């Protein structure tokens, strides 16, 4: 390994659901010299599935089938893949399958093992299918909750990042009524604190954080809702302000996202899934990145799903994966050069 390569972080890239676009976007991303120069990419998945996806996408790139990370040769012009050999050759693209769900679970499990051992400095995940995951008997709402359990982390937060906006979520994959019931000052405060910690570590000395209300117009002094803002959000904001942090809210979400989009805020705290996801996705799926905040390992992800409707056709867009790798590299500790 050259000195340049030895100084790069190793990123464990999970292949995601093998029936989705994960294999294809990985091959497309790693076929680009600029992407390979970002990091030492170690794919956790199935070598033959990657080869098939590469052919379907018109990518002329070899895939090295590895049993152990120590076998990886990052100087070689080939995708380095820890090959778990869990994907049948005849597994169709674009269909929910418990076989695919089980494989996706095992890819993540192996990536956590590798990252926890310090072999990889971060994990970057391609999309999985929640339905396939459940069909395989793994009852998790998504990557975030799965990674939290595998790492023994009691509570994590989802942060979405685009070039113009950062959004951290108080609740994610639960129904709206359940989300409102779950929101309480302690949870809101912990989410703000996790976001504040990420931003300060990224070099923003005193980040300006805007906190969304639940109701339209932030409840309009009690005219809308049942006093949720005063009961569930305001105490957390005041506690953060008492620490000297620049935290403001609860603010009307529509106005806050406009202000944040023009640069007035470093981060927005969204109360529920669609409140935060909507603005990010309007800015473009190809630029959005999902970061799990609070894990003992760095984890980033594409901000899109398995796209079963186009999986296997060779047309999936790899730009969100490339951006997720960039974010992982930016957050990852650097190994000592040898």
């Amino acid at each position: 390994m050259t000195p340049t390569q030895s100084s790069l972080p190793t990123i464990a890239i999970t292949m995601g659901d093998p029936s989705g676009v994960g294999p294809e976007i990985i091959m497309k991303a790693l076929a680009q010299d600029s992407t390979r120069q970002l990091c030492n990419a170690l794919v956790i998945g199935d070598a033959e599935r990657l080869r098939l996806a590469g052919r379907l996408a018109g990518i002329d790139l070899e895939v090295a089938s590895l049993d152990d990370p120590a076998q990886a040769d990052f100087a070689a012009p080939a995708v380095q893949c820890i090959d778990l050999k869990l994907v049948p050759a005849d597994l169709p693209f674009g269909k929910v399958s418990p076989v695919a769900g089980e494989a996706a679970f095992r890819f993540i499990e192996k990536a956590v093992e590798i990252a926890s051992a310090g072999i990889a400095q971060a994990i970057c995940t391609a999309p999985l299918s929640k339905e396939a995951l459940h069909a395989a008997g793994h009852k998790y709402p998504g990557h975030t909750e799965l990674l939290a359990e595998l790492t023994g982390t009691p509570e994590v937060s989802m942060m979405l990042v685009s070039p113009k906006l950062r959004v951290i979520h108080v609740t994610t994959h639960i129904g709206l009524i359940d989300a409102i019931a779950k929101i309480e000052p302690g949870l809101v405060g912990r989410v703000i604190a996790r976001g504040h910690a990420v931003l300060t570590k990224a070099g923003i000395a005193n980040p300006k954080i805007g906190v969304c209300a639940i109701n339209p117009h932030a409840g309009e002094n009690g005219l809308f809702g049942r006093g949720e803002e005063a009961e569930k959000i305001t105490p957390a904001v005041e506690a953060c302000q008492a620490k000297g942090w620049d935290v403001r809210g609860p603010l009307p979400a529509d106005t806050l996202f406009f202000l944040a989009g023009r640069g007035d805020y470093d981060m927005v705290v969204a109360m529920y899934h669609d409140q935060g996801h909507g603005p990010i996705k309007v800015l473009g799926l190809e630029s959005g990145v999902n970061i799990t905040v609070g894990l003992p390992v760095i984890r980033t992800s594409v901000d899109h799903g398995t796209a079963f409707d186009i999986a296997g056709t060779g047309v999936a867009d790899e730009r969100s994966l490339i951006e997720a790798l960039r974010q992982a590299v930016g957050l990852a500790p650097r190994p000592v050069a040898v």
Side-chain angles (χ1 to χ4, degrees):
M1 186 179 292
T2 68
T4 299
Q5 288 168 318
S6 66
S7 66
L8 292 175
T10 296
I11 310 298
I13 307 173
T14 58
M15 199 175 75
D17 190 302
S19 294
V21 296
E24 176 184 331
I25 61 175
I26 288 171
M27 293 298 288
K28 285 185 167 184
L30 297 184
Q32 301 179 32
D33 290 340
S34 58
T35 305
R36 291 199 301 273
Q37 291 167 7
L38 284 172
C39 63
N40 295 322
L42 184 64
V43 180
I44 316 300
D46 184 276
E48 191 53 46
R49 193 64 165 186
L50 289 172
R51 294 183 187 114
L52 172 59
R55 292 193 296 271
L56 292 170
I59 301 298
D60 183 19
L61 183 62
E62 295 294 323
V63 178
S65 175
L66 313 176
D67 297 318
D68 187 273
Q71 298 173 324
D73 180 5
F74 297 115
V79 173
Q80 303 299 300
C81 174
I82 301 298
D83 191 0
L84 300 190
K85 299 179 174 67
L86 296 173
V87 182
D90 60 352
L91 183 75
F93 283 100
K95 293 185 179 180
V96 173
S97 162
V99 173
E102 179 65 24
F105 175 84
R106 297 301 169 191
F107 301 155
I108 299 162
E109 186 179 53
K110 187 67 173 179
V112 168
E113 175 190 319
I114 289 171
S116 297
I119 298 167
Q121 284 69 58
I123 296 171
C124 182
T125 59
L128 54 70
S129 163
K130 299 175 184 65
E131 188 177 351
L133 194 67
H134 286 203
H138 303 292
K139 306 297 184 180
Y140 299 93
H143 266 123
T144 301
E145 297 81 5
L146 172 53
L147 285 160
E149 181 165 311
L150 288 174
T151 58
T153 308
E155 188 175 270
V156 295
S157 297
M158 176 189 291
M159 177 182 283
L160 301 182
V161 177
S162 76
K164 290 187 176 181
L165 196 61
R166 301 181 189 93
V167 185
I168 193 167
H169 294 68
V170 174
T171 66
T172 51
H173 297 115
I174 56 176
L176 185 54
I177 292 174
D178 294 331
I180 294 171
K182 184 176 181 179
I183 296 166
E184 50 87 18
L187 175 59
V188 174
R190 293 192 299 275
V191 171
I192 295 171
R194 279 191 283 271
H196 186 274
V198 167
L199 296 185
T200 54
K201 287 179 182 177
I204 303 174
N206 187 28
K208 187 174 181 181
I209 300 172
V211 182
C212 289
I214 296 171
N215 294 299
H217 300 250
E220 198 77 72
N221 295 317
L223 291 179
F224 307 129
R226 300 177 181 179
E228 288 89 353
E229 280 71 28
E231 174 191 348
K232 296 172 175 285
I233 303 174
T234 299
V237 171
E238 292 176 345
C240 291
Q241 291 170 342
K243 298 176 184 178
W245 296 353
D246 190 353
V247 179
R248 308 184 187 191
L251 300 170
D254 53 353
T255 302
L256 175 54
F257 277 108
F258 167 75
L259 296 174
R262 74 178 189 186
D264 292 5
Y265 288 88
D266 296 301
M267 184 180 73
V268 172
V269 180
M271 291 297 122
Y272 52 90
H273 184 282
D274 285 12
Q275 187 180 58
H277 278 59
I280 287 283
K281 291 190 175 182
V282 164
L283 293 174
L285 286 174
E286 72 283 350
S287 64
V289 175
N290 182 336
I291 302 173
T292 305
V293 180
L295 291 172
V297 297
I298 301 300
R299 179 261 175 164
T300 66
S301 178
V302 296
D303 186 30
H304 61 73
T306 52
F308 281 156
D309 58 324
I310 61 170
T313 65
V315 301
D317 193 322
E318 73 277 15
R319 285 178 293 176
S320 182
L321 178 62
I322 293 172
E323 186 58 33
L325 284 169
R326 290 185 190 280
Q327 293 286 346
V329 169
L331 294 169
R334 289 299 185 272
V336 177
V338 293

